[in-house]
Amino acid sequence: MASRSVFSIAAEGILKKFRKPSATGERLSFWTEKYLKHLPQGPLKSIPWRGGQLWFTKSWELMHSFDEIVTGEIYRFKADTDTPRILDCGANIGLSVLYFAQLYPQARITAFEPDEHNFGLLKRNMQSYDVQNVEILQKAIWIHNDSITFESTGGQGSKIGEGGSITVASARLADLLQEPADFLKIDIEGAEFSVIKDCAPVLRNVKHLFLEYHGAISQSHELTEMLEILHQNGFDYYIREAADNVKYPFIRSRSAGGFEQQLNIFAVRRGE
């Protein structure tokens, strides 16, 4: 067989670079994407979708979430029952909840979203789609049942933090995991290390775990410790980059804000 030319190899590489990964889920239409890209960020808007109105205020965040959750089906899992128990920690405006409810219509879902603005959209979207068997709570997932200082952005960047200007109610995840959970989603913008450590004694009650890790390069020991906790609790895991935030990893410099490392960690019980 004749060897391929340098040109054909280069062309294949270029096409691969720009080709979107294959996805089985639904995509936004060309015209819907065009509409969303030209919207101002802030005013309340909605788009028709699956027989309801999907409400949002930040179209760029909606497009990103839709691409991950609906098109890429990042949370797709196989349950052993038609009524899986799902905990959605960091539900934002509810697109993940709508996905879970479509995947398993009889699922028992509890969703947590502490940001007041996001929670209002979450509530509106649950009403728009008349989602059943879903409990939504305006609380931050944390290591105690009390309250916590919170930085509210009205978007995906809201987080627990000492620099926060408001106080929100908190819920201890470890208490919720005293009973089995078929799927646990944790996307809590940097609070995951403390929460996973606190949950270590009860993580064996979880079958499928999605964890978005946010951290600094100097905090890599926390990532190592979290992965060891998962291993000790009988999980195998797969790691995928969520965002490429450091242009030159070998050149250390102070971050201009945000997280240096964002990783999606998919953990499933060994042998499942």
Side-chain angles (χ1 to χ4, degrees), residues 18-226:
F18 287 97
R19 187 183 300 130
K20 283 188 175 182
S22 61
T24 58
E26 175 187 351
R27 296 183 184 275
L28 289 170
S29 71
F30 170 82
W31 293 110
T32 300
E33 282 199 350
K34 190 174 181 65
Y35 166 74
L36 292 173
K37 287 178 180 179
H38 290 85
L39 280 179
Q41 306 301 294
L44 179 64
K45 296 286 185 181
S46 70
I47 56 172
W49 180 62
R50 289 186 179 176
Q53 290 294 125
L54 184 58
W55 294 92
F56 61 93
T57 56
K58 297 186 176 182
S59 59
W60 285 95
E61 289 189 357
L62 174 64
M63 286 189 291
H64 171 74
S65 295
F66 196 98
D67 186 59
E68 273 198 336
I69 298 170
V70 180
T71 304
E73 296 191 279
I74 195 173
Y75 303 135
R76 188 174 187 87
F77 74 103
K78 186 175 181 180
D80 297 327
T81 172
D82 291 334
T83 59
R85 179 73 172 116
I86 298 173
L87 298 175
D88 188 335
C89 305
N92 195 247
I93 68 171
L95 195 57
S96 52
V97 180
L98 294 176
Y99 175 80
F100 288 131
Q102 185 274 329
L103 188 64
Y104 292 104
Q106 299 180 58
R108 296 171 295 122
I109 306 171
T110 302
F112 297 86
E113 176 50 52
D115 186 287
E116 183 177 5
H117 176 82
N118 294 341
F119 185 80
L121 290 169
L122 169 63
K123 185 176 181 180
R124 183 184 287 262
N125 282 323
M126 295 304 100
Q127 293 170 343
S128 177
Y129 289 90
D130 191 26
V131 181
Q132 303 297 311
N133 303 320
V134 173
E135 179 184 21
I136 58 173
L137 299 172
Q138 190 179 346
K139 293 183 177 182
I141 286 296
W142 190 229
I143 61 175
H144 56 61
N145 297 299
D146 194 356
S147 60
I148 191 74
T149 304
F150 192 72
E151 298 177 29
S152 176
T153 68
Q156 294 177 348
S158 298
K159 61 183 179 180
I160 292 173
E162 295 180 358
S165 59
I166 63 172
T167 300
V168 298
S170 61
R172 187 184 182 211
L173 181 58
D175 291 346
L176 301 171
L177 295 181
Q178 297 297 324
E179 298 180 354
D182 294 280
F183 193 96
L184 170 61
K185 172 203 156 194
I186 302 177
D187 186 357
I188 51 178
E189 300 297 317
E192 56 274 1
F193 175 62
S194 297
V195 169
I196 287 293
K197 283 185 65 177
D198 188 53
C199 290
V202 290
L203 276 181
R204 288 187 178 273
N205 286 332
V206 178
K207 288 188 176 180
H208 304 84
L209 167 62
F210 173 87
L211 171 67
E212 182 162 334
Y213 170 74
H214 309 76
I217 295 173
S218 60
Q219 298 171 314
S220 294
H221 61 285
E222 295 183 355
L223 174 61
T224 302
E225 187 173 343
M226 280 199 302

Side-chain angles (χ1 to χ4, degrees), residues 6-22:
V6 173
F7 175 79
S8 66
I9 295 173
E12 181 179 306
I14 293 171
L15 289 172
K16 184 177 180 181
K17 181 178 180 62
F18 287 97
R19 187 183 300 130
K20 283 188 175 182
S22 61

